[in-house]
């Protein structure tokens, strides 16, 4: 099957997918962002739309105080007897949870807390209807923090969340670090266990084992990891953490995470871990994966919003709280109220989107009654801002608390001023700039529509590798003091 890659651009790691009839539903990790655990839908496995979120309240996850990179980790989405299930770990929060819904667009339940001690939970129903949880035994709490007990499995009662037996270790790969992201499938007469191993960085890979019994023993596959990009020149690296699905036409596809690396030595991934897909065929009842190659079968998406509808577009997310907690829709746009928190704080008044393009421009037409602007962030210590304050514009880079500001002396109109952030490739020359993934230009459009650039910052510092982040670039509008009104917002090619 010809597959677009990325399948879902922008930071969408740890993808899990399920087919119900001829509909496909996919869920990804969302960490400290709300609404959380996005649900994407497709009819053809090529075009995907965001239809809702599992987490649409501020109490389903312990988001408010969650540490950066904690929160919603690695969901598994499945469907059984008319009910959709998402099992997920709220890392450093409520622990491993079970959410249910009859409509995948929501609403979803408040979440049953399980007694699973680990991460990356999977659920599988055996022929007798019993349900089994399989998970990575990485300990995230208590004095065992950081200890890894391998891949574990136990029967579970989904109505109480309680394991019904002592977890048993089943199979933990071929020696790569961090065996995780287990998924169980029954194909033919075999039970298959797919896991990720090698860590989510450049050493990442996907391995498989099989057994005639669900509880094992599991026999390792012949070429593990049967999918990896490690030590290859492929632009899509870090591939692993896969989930398998059989398409309506009977073919098999695996969705997985990967990173598009750029720069002369392919060292930096600006958008973080995205969702990719690859075709799976079977040889001697073992899966064989096609290498993951970039494909522009579907063009990089464009986005335009004029806030004219009664509901805020579902693409908008905020940090550790919902957009509705920091903003409200009015006739003239989205009003964001400042509370003194800046983009260097853990809960800024920020409403943004996952950046889904490598190249292009983000524009926001704003009226600023106080202090605010556009920010691109990985986290509270890694962000670039273009800010209006007292009729002046400042461009700011904050990299690991090293803050650098460029002040613009122009007097600007605080109403209906269009700020922009432009993403330009770093060029093919083998020099210091050519090493970077891109450059980010910050500025505004003057009243004659002319672009006035205030500063250009190196994009490598807002990459998953430098920020050492589980997430990716999120761009949006923030307000530190007073109120900012967003009249239009767009992310386009030019
Ligand atoms: C996810 C695990 C992982 O649970 O990172 O690096 C966690 N690997 O599989 C968050 O993405």
């Amino acid at each position: 099957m010809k597959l677009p890659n990325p399948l879902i651009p922008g930071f969408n790691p740890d993808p899990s997918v399920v087919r119900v009839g001829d509909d496909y539903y996919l869920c990804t990790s969302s960490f400290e962002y709300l609404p959380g655990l996005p649900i994407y839908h497709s009819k053809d496995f090529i075009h995907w739309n965001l239809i809702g979120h599992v987490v649409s309240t501020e109490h389903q996850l312990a988001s408010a105080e969650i540490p950066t990179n904690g929160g919603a980790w690695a969901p598994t989405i499945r469907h059984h007897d008319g009910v959709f299930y998402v099992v997920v770990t709220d890392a450093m929060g409520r622990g491993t949870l079970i959410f249910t819904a009859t409509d995948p667009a929501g609403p979803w339940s408040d979440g049953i807390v399980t007694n699973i001690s680990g991460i990356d939970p999977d659920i599988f129903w055996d022929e007798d209807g019993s349900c089994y949880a399989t998970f990575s035994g990485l300990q995230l709490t208590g004095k065992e923090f950081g200890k890894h007990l391998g891949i574990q499995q136990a029967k579970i009662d989904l109505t109480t969340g309680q394991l019904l037996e002592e977890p048993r270790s089943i199979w933990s790969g071929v020696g790569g670090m961090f065996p995780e992201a287990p998924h169980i499938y029954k194909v033919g007469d075999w039970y298959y266990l797919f896991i990720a191993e090698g860590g989510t960085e450049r050493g990442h890979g996907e391995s498989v084992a099989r057994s005639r019994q669900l509880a094992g023993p599991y026999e390792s596959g012949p070429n593990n990891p049967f999918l990896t990009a490690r030590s290859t020149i492929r632009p899509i690296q870090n591939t692993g953490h896969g989930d398998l699905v059989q398409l309506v036409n009977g073919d098999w596809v695996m969705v997985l995470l990967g990173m598009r690396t750029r720069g002369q030595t392919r060292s930096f991934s600006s958008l973080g871990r995205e969702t990719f897909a690859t075709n799976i065929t079977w040889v001697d009842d073992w899966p064989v994966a096609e290498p993951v190659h970039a494909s522009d079968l579907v063009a990089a998406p464009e986005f335009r919003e004029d806030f004219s509808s009664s509901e805020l577009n579902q693409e908008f997310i905020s940090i550790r709280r919902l957009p509705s907690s920091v903003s409200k829709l009015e006739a003239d746009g989205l009003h964001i109220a400042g509370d003194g928190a800046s983009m260097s704080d853990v809960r800024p008044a920020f409403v943004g989107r996952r950046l889904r393009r490598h190249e292009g421009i983000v524009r926001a037409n704003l009226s600023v009654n106080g202090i605010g602007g556009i920010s691109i962030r990985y986290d509270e210590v890694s962000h670039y801002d273009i800010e209006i304050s007292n009729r002046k514009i400042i461009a700011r880079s904050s990299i690991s608390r090293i803050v650098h500001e460029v002040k613009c002396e122009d007097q600007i109109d605080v109403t209906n001023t269009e700020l922009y952030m432009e993403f330009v490739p770093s060029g093919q020359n083998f020099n210091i700039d050519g090493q970077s993934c891109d450059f980010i230009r910050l500025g505004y459009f003057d009243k004659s529509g002319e672009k006035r650039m205030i500063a250009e910052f190196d994009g490598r510092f807002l990459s998953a590798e430098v920020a050492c982040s589980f997430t990716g670039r999120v761009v949006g509008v923030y307000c530190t003091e007073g109120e900012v009104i967003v009249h239009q917002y767009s992310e386009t090619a030019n």
Side-chain angles (χ1 to χ4, degrees):
M1 175 177 181
K2 279 212 141 315
L3 293 159
N5 265 326
L7 193 75
I8 305 199
F11 97 78
N12 280 286
D14 314 326
S16 177
V17 63
V18 67
R19 177 168 67 81
V20 181
D22 53 16
D23 293 285
Y24 301 98
Y25 300 98
L26 189 150
C27 186
T28 58
S29 297
S30 53
F31 306 90
E32 69 261 30
Y33 289 97
L34 291 178
L37 298 172
I39 301 285
Y40 298 94
H41 169 253
S42 179
K43 277 280 190 193
D44 60 7
F45 217 86
I46 291 174
H47 303 92
W48 292 82
N49 301 308
L50 176 61
I51 59 168
H53 294 82
V54 174
V55 179
S56 55
T57 70
E58 291 181 354
H59 64 259
Q60 287 166 286
L61 300 175
S63 307
E65 306 298 333
I66 210 75
T68 293
N69 288 330
W73 281 17
T76 292
I77 184 167
R78 295 289 182 260
H79 184 261
H80 189 72
D81 288 354
V83 176
F84 286 88
Y85 292 83
V86 164
V87 287
V88 65
T89 301
D90 182 12
M92 280 66 86
R94 295 180 67 200
T96 295
L97 304 162
I98 302 166
F99 294 102
T100 57
T102 48
D103 177 349
W108 288 76
S109 63
D110 281 350
I112 295 169
V113 178
T114 74
N115 59 345
I116 288 174
S117 177
I119 64 167
D120 299 8
D122 170 78
I123 46 174
F124 173 85
W125 288 266
D126 206 357
E127 267 106 24
D128 66 358
S130 312
C131 187
Y132 291 78
T134 307
F135 51 95
S136 154
L138 178 67
Q139 303 302 293
L140 288 182
T141 53
K143 54 185 184 352
E144 303 282 282
F145 183 90
K147 196 162 173 214
H148 205 305
L149 307 176
I151 301 296
Q152 307 212 299
Q153 183 186 75
K155 196 185 277 191
I156 187 168
D157 176 343
L158 291 175
T159 60
T160 63
Q162 299 308 297
L163 298 178
L164 301 172
E165 56 188 351
E166 211 29 56
R168 58 182 157 269
S169 290
I170 48 176
W171 180 77
S172 296
V174 290
M177 65 178 182
F178 294 120
E180 55 197 6
H183 288 300
I184 296 278
Y185 313 98
K186 182 88 186 296
V187 182
D189 302 332
W190 291 103
Y191 293 94
Y192 290 93
L193 170 61
F194 281 42
I195 70 165
E197 58 177 316
T200 197
E201 300 77 21
R202 295 287 190 273
H204 211 193
E206 192 73 11
S207 296
V208 62
R210 71 185 183 189
S211 173
R212 296 289 189 191
Q213 286 80 41
L214 177 56
Y218 281 83
E219 160 207 11
S220 178
N223 328 301
N224 278 327
F226 72 93
L227 180 141
T228 183
R230 66 176 71 140
S231 324
T232 69
I233 196 157
R234 289 188 218 129
I236 299 174
Q237 287 286 325
N238 300 45
T239 45
H241 201 126
D243 194 12
L244 186 69
V245 66
Q246 187 169 30
L247 306 180
V248 172
N249 68 3
D251 291 353
W252 294 86
V253 167
M254 182 163 73
V255 296
L256 67 166
L257 74 83
M259 297 217 291
R260 288 184 282 173
T261 58
R262 292 190 290 167
Q264 284 293 338
T265 53
R266 296 173 307 287
S267 302
F268 305 107
S269 316
S270 51
L271 300 184
R273 298 179 301 165
E274 306 175 276
T275 292
F276 293 83
T278 192
N279 291 302
I280 298 286
T281 50
W282 298 86
V283 176
D284 303 335
D285 292 336
W286 287 110
V288 175
E290 267 179 18
V292 180
H293 292 300
S295 124
D296 52 10
L297 191 62
V298 175
E302 296 207 318
F303 178 85
R304 291 178 179 78
E305 180 60 52
D306 62 7
F307 306 101
S308 56
S309 61
S310 58
E311 299 265 322
L312 184 65
N313 186 302
Q314 300 207 69
E315 286 260 340
F316 286 111
I317 53 179
S318 291
I319 305 156
R320 295 182 176 84
R321 43 187 170 170
L322 287 168
S324 55
S325 297
V326 296
S327 67
K328 62 183 183 317
L329 275 173
E330 307 271 1
D332 58 355
L334 183 70
H335 291 232
I336 303 176
D339 57 7
S342 77
M343 289 306 294
S344 296
D345 291 297
V346 291
R347 262 192 311 281
F350 170 89
V351 178
R353 287 179 68 244
R354 296 166 171 80
L355 187 65
R356 297 190 188 276
R357 303 182 58 87
H358 267 162
E359 290 160 28
I361 184 167
V362 164
R363 302 164 183 240
N365 184 301
L366 308 177
S367 294
V368 178
N369 311 318
I371 301 175
I374 305 180
S375 181
I376 177 168
R377 82 181 293 269
Y378 253 90
D379 54 45
E380 59 271 22
V381 299
S382 318
H383 56 90
Y384 295 166
D385 316 332
I386 177 87
E387 179 171 290
I388 295 174
S389 164
N390 304 330
R391 304 180 61 77
K392 295 278 186 197
I393 292 192
I394 298 169
R396 177 187 302 112
S397 71
S398 165
I399 302 162
S400 188
R401 299 184 182 81
I402 306 162
V403 177
H404 163 62
E405 292 189 343
V406 180
K407 292 192 171 51
C408 165
E409 291 318 316
D410 307 357
Q411 280 286 84
I412 59 117
D413 181 344
V414 293
T415 57
N416 288 98
T417 291
E418 191 159 46
L419 299 180
Y420 75 85
M421 264 187 194
E422 191 171 15
F423 306 92
V424 294
S426 59
Q428 296 311 310
N429 314 325
F430 199 96
N431 57 25
I432 193 68
D433 287 353
Q435 295 301 331
S436 182
C437 45
D438 63 351
F439 283 80
I440 304 174
R441 296 174 177 163
L442 298 80
Y444 72 103
F445 288 87
D446 64 21
K447 289 305 168 202
S448 64
E450 278 309 304
K451 240 191 229 168
R452 307 290 299 273
M453 186 172 87
I454 309 291
E456 179 181 76
F457 297 142
D458 188 332
R460 78 184 77 193
F461 300 106
L462 290 183
S463 68
E465 292 84 357
V466 174
C468 201
S469 170
F470 276 159
T471 64
R473 287 180 177 176
V474 173
V475 187
V477 178
Y478 68 96
C479 180
T480 302
E481 273 175 28
E483 183 183 59
V484 169
I485 306 170
V486 195
H487 305 294
Q488 272 108 23
Y489 183 92
S490 65
E491 177 186 319
T492 54
N494 46 46

